[in-house]
Amino acid sequence: MAQKKTATLAVIDYEALKRKNAEETQKLVQACQTVGMFYLNLRGASMSAVFEDVPTIFQTANDFFNLPHDCKEKMQSLREGMERGYHVGKGFEYYEIARDEYQLGKWLLPATFEPQKERITRTIHCFNSAIQTVVAEVCAAVDINIPELSDDPTVPSDTALKLLYKPPMHEAGHVIHPGHTDFGLATLLWYDEETTQIATYDKEGNQTEDWETVPVIEGTVLINLADELAAKSEGRLRSTVHRVVAPPGAKRVRNGMIYLLRPYKI
């Protein structure tokens, strides 16, 4: 068996970034120009609630996903357009909450999620603040203007919180989602299992067949830049090529939570 190669990514401190610490901002810029993926340390007073809220949201999501596929609650949660609402794929399910409708009180949560509305609201607020701060700081540092980068929920967008559910069907290391980049500006991933691998490159900058596994660092989320931000930077910032694999250990249910910064309608 080939030895696992481990990625070494920068750890950016959110509280220092929010204070506009010059050293932390430079570390962020370096990470965005080289790999395009980094850890964001959320262990600070302003983000402490998320570490209590997310496990409860995961348990609630499991209760929802374990309902029969044809039950009324799931059928009422199906939505047209982008990726909003409840969807079933091959070997996975997800439920995506669009930030604009949710913030404006236009989003009706499924009954199973309704008791956790306060936790969901806090989590959306925390993740949105974190990823907005990251993108705003790196854009200011490298002089990129993104007029669409707005915190105003009345501006229609595809920014959303996505809850994922994957049943215990894949052996450890199985490639679930092949190499790809994300669209939008950036993606935030709640990261508590080794499920992400990033591409490697040779001296000429060509992608190789090898992949590096991104280890878990407690108290952090994983952020990667996406295609639209790389395009607006004219290639100065990198949209990370990455893939998703089944985590180490026995087959088991896998929960995921990602926050997608897509501040305009595609």
Side-chain angles (χ1 to χ4, degrees), residues 60-74:
T60 303
N62 273 342
D63 294 341
F64 173 79
F65 291 124
N66 284 322
L67 293 171
H69 285 303
D70 58 351
C71 73
K72 183 178 179 181
E73 189 172 335
K74 281 186 172 179

Side-chain angles (χ1 to χ4, degrees), residues 7-18:
T8 302
L9 303 180
V11 181
I12 310 298
D13 187 82
Y14 172 70
E15 299 293 341
L17 199 63
K18 197 168 66 167

